């Protein structure tokens, strides 16, 4: 609470110390929204989803809903992020009830005002609704309605403007750093918007609009080609079927190459930090990972603590069996569990201090002979970005960078 108080009273450059409110986009905005609106979450759920039924218990959600629809309850489901939320209803009458009930609850119970311009009832069968940069509409498919989600028009324009700025920056200074920053930008927006059902269409159009701009500015500083032997990160997220620019030996991530990723629900009981949580994670692992974890469990590493052996398995399963520097899949015989901070320098066997590495990457981190280093760099296909990570590990052990 002391930290929150100090952050609220922190001086804003050019404005001084604020008398009320939270700076927009600050760290506290989301946190305090969750604290205040947690009461709203429970109230909305109590109006329908978790409303207690007095008669005999119902085993399925379908039977529960059937019992509730014969009452005067208003059916609605809340979706909220920070102070932005939607309540999904089945009909206009329920939506009207929910709108007035929520406005009244926020005003009288939480002392919050609702913006009339941003708050409205929308029929998703006829119009789009906007939420967190996405557009949502219920389109007809056969005899039912399905979600049609895409990207807001103004958000597309912002992406296009930002992409042009970064392309201009690469043209002015075609360095590995600027190429990497461009890739971080592309991967970030792909990972955010790939939940949209029509994300591929939206980004294909964006890439088409930027195609001539990008080609005319980068043709002098890079090579336009299909990727040949790209780094593991590129191979993991993108296909080889798209031509892209190679700038300073780094392939730019193609803007159009993105597919919809289904959003799956998660269980709060899944946790790396409890025995039961780790057991559930283990049950959900792929068969090949389970096999390798079985071999790791049966391996014998002398002079290591129980904590180390347990967290080693947890780290391997969390990383899906991949090396944390190269990204390559590791069989049990290739795995080395590395202490990021050495034990003799205050490191521990805690989960947060362990890293899953290929055993030859471990050798590279500790190696001092130049000939051996060059051999390992070539054998492992270490890129410039991987080399930066290796040097971070070497620095922890007081070794010179490669």
């Amino acid at each position: 609470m002391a930290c929150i108080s100090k952050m609220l009273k922190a001086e804003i450059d050019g404005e001084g110390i604020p008398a009320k409110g939270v700076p927009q986009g600050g760290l506290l905005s989301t946190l305090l929204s969750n604290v205040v609106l947690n009461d709203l979450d429970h109230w909305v759920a109590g109006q329908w989803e978790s409303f207690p039924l007095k008669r005999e218990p119902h085993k399925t959600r379908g039977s529960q809903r059937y019992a509730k629809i014969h009452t005067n309850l208003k059916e609605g489901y809340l979706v909220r992020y920070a102070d932005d939320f939607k309540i999904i209803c089945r009909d206009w009458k329920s939506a009207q009830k929910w709108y007035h009930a929520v406005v009244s609850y926020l005003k009288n119970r939480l002392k919050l005002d609702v913006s009339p311009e941003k708050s409205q009832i929308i029929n998703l069968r006829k119009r789009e609704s906007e939420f967190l940069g996405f557009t949502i509409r219920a389109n007809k498919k056969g005899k039912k309605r399905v979600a049609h989600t895409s990207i807001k028009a103004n958000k597309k324009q912002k992406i296009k403007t930002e992409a042009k700025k970064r392309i201009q920056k690469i043209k002015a200074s075609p360095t590995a750093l600027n190429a990497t920053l461009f890739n971080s930008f592309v991967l970030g927006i792909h990972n955010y918007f790939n939940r949209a059902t029509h994300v591929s269409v939206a980004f294909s159009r964006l890439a088409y609009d930027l195609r001539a701009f990008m080609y005319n500015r980068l043709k002098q500083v890079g090579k336009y080609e299909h990727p040949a032997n790209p780094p593991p990160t590129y191979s993991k997220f993108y296909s080889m079927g798209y031509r892209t620019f190679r700038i300073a030996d780094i392939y730019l991530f193609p803007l159009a190459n993105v597919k919809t990723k289904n959003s799956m629900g998660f269980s709060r009981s899944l946790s790396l930090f409890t025995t039961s949580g780790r057991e559930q994670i283990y049950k959900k692992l792929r068969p090949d990972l389970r096999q390798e974890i079985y071999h790791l469990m049966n391996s014998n590493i002398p002079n290591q603590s129980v904590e180390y052996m347990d967290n080693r398995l947890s780290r391997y399963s969390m990383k899906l069996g991949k090396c944390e520097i190269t990204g390559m899949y590791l069989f049990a015989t290739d795995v080395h569990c590395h202490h990021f901070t050495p034990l003799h320098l205050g490191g521990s066997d805690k989960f947060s201090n362990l890293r899953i590495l290929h055993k030859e990457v471990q050798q590279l981190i500790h190696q001092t002979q130049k000939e051996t280093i060059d051999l390992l760099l070539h054998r492992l296909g270490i890129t410039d970005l991987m080399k930066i990570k290796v040097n971070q590990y070497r620095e922890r052990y007081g070794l010179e960078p490669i």
Side-chain angles (χ1 to χ4, degrees):
M1 293 300 292
C3 292
I4 292 175
S5 177
K6 288 184 178 180
M7 292 175 73
L8 287 172
K9 297 175 183 177
E11 184 176 357
I12 300 175
D13 189 24
E15 296 185 16
I17 299 176
K20 63 178 182 178
V22 180
Q24 188 173 7
L27 296 173
L28 284 181
S29 180
T30 304
L31 173 63
L32 294 181
S33 294
N34 288 334
V35 171
V36 174
L37 295 178
N38 179 62
D39 194 61
L40 175 70
D41 296 344
H42 289 282
W43 178 77
V44 172
Q47 298 293 303
W48 178 264
E49 287 185 90
S50 59
F51 189 87
L53 297 172
K54 293 182 178 179
R55 295 186 179 181
E56 57 190 54
H58 298 268
K59 296 182 179 180
T60 65
R61 294 184 65 181
S63 62
Q64 290 178 11
R65 181 177 179 273
Y66 182 80
K68 291 175 184 177
I69 59 177
H70 292 86
T71 67
N72 291 324
L73 297 175
K74 47 188 181 294
E75 183 176 5
Y77 304 90
L78 176 70
V79 181
R80 182 177 68 82
Y81 179 82
D83 61 345
D84 197 358
F85 64 89
K86 301 280 185 187
I87 296 181
I88 311 299
C89 310
R90 290 182 182 271
D91 55 72
W92 181 264
K93 186 177 180 180
S94 297
Q96 285 279 8
K97 290 181 179 180
W98 271 114
Y99 180 83
H100 295 293
V102 170
V103 170
S104 176
Y105 185 85
L106 292 174
K107 181 71 174 177
N108 300 324
R109 178 68 180 268
L110 301 180
K111 310 303 179 185
L112 297 174
D113 294 322
V114 174
S115 171
E117 296 80 15
K118 296 181 180 179
S119 304
Q120 54 185 313
I121 300 173
I122 294 178
N123 186 343
L124 294 179
R125 298 180 181 91
K126 299 178 180 179
R127 293 172 54 198
E128 287 182 343
S129 179
E130 298 177 349
F131 187 59
L132 303 178
F134 294 85
T135 60
I136 308 167
R137 186 178 176 126
N139 283 355
K140 197 170 184 179
K141 185 177 182 181
K143 296 182 179 180
K144 59 182 180 179
R145 297 273 179 173
V146 296
H148 178 126
T149 54
S150 189
I151 307 173
K152 284 174 60 176
N154 66 339
K155 187 63 68 175
K156 292 179 187 177
Q157 189 58 44
K158 288 181 180 179
I159 292 173
K160 195 182 300 184
T161 302
E162 182 64 24
K164 287 183 177 180
K165 287 181 181 178
R166 294 177 181 271
I167 292 168
Q168 292 278 31
K169 196 171 184 179
I170 293 174
K171 178 188 176 184
S173 178
T175 61
L177 176 61
N178 285 336
T180 302
L181 291 174
F182 178 86
N183 285 348
S184 298
F185 163 71
V186 172
L187 187 59
I189 57 176
H190 280 175
N191 284 339
Y192 182 80
F193 286 109
N194 64 8
R195 268 62 182 176
T197 58
H198 288 64
V199 64
S200 180
V201 176
F203 274 100
S204 293
R205 183 66 201 186
L206 280 171
Y208 178 81
D209 293 343
L210 289 168
R211 183 178 178 182
F213 180 91
M214 188 174 190
Y215 183 81
N216 290 333
R217 281 152 185 81
L218 298 185
K219 63 183 179 182
Q220 302 296 331
V221 296
K223 190 173 181 181
Y224 193 55
E225 61 184 12
H226 288 281
N229 298 321
T233 303
Y234 191 104
S235 303
K236 178 180 178 180
F237 294 107
Y238 300 101
S239 67
M240 305 299 115
Y242 287 80
R243 294 174 69 188
T244 186
F245 277 98
R246 186 178 66 180
I247 307 292
D249 289 330
I250 293 180
Y251 288 106
L252 300 184
F253 292 166
L255 196 61
N257 191 5
V258 59
K259 293 182 179 179
T260 298
K261 184 176 181 181
N262 293 329
S263 296
M264 307 300 292
F266 69 95
S267 171
R268 293 181 181 180
S269 59
L270 292 176
S271 172
L272 291 167
F273 307 104
T274 63
T275 303
S276 59
R278 287 194 292 269
E279 288 177 354
Q280 290 191 48
I281 292 174
Y282 178 74
K283 291 177 181 178
K284 291 177 177 290
L285 290 175
R286 301 195 312 258
D288 57 333
L289 281 178
R290 287 203 296 267
Q291 183 67 26
E292 298 306 320
I293 288 176
Y294 174 78
H295 292 315
L296 288 174
M297 290 174 63
N298 292 328
S299 62
N300 182 26
I301 304 179
N303 303 322
Q304 292 293 353
S305 67
V306 175
E307 182 183 26
Y308 172 88
M309 300 297 288
D310 187 39
N311 287 332
R312 171 172 163 260
L313 298 176
S314 299
R315 191 85 190 183
Y316 179 84
S317 64
M318 188 192 79
K319 294 299 177 181
L320 298 178
K322 294 182 180 180
C323 174
E324 297 190 42
I325 289 182
T326 64
M328 68 174 68
Y329 180 78
L330 302 178
F331 295 100
T333 53
D334 297 324
V335 172
H336 178 85
C337 190
H338 176 82
H339 290 92
F340 186 64
T341 300
L343 293 176
H344 66 275
L345 294 178
S348 66
D349 292 334
K350 290 183 178 179
F351 177 86
S352 58
N353 191 46
L354 300 182
R355 302 291 186 271
I356 297 298
L357 304 176
H358 191 282
K359 60 184 180 181
E360 291 190 342
V361 173
Q362 164 72 5
Q363 296 175 19
L364 180 62
I365 290 172
H366 294 282
Q367 190 56 243
T368 57
Q369 299 294 326
K370 188 178 184 307
E371 293 180 357
T372 308
I373 290 175
D374 292 339
L375 179 64
L376 290 171
L377 288 174
H378 178 73
R379 183 187 300 170
L380 294 168
I382 301 295
T383 64
D384 290 338
L385 289 177
M386 295 177 192
K387 196 180 293 183
I388 292 173
K389 290 184 180 180
V390 170
N391 286 334
Q392 291 174 352
Y393 283 69
R394 289 175 65 89
E395 183 181 355
R396 291 273 180 164
Y397 283 78
L399 298 174
E400 295 182 358
I402 296 173

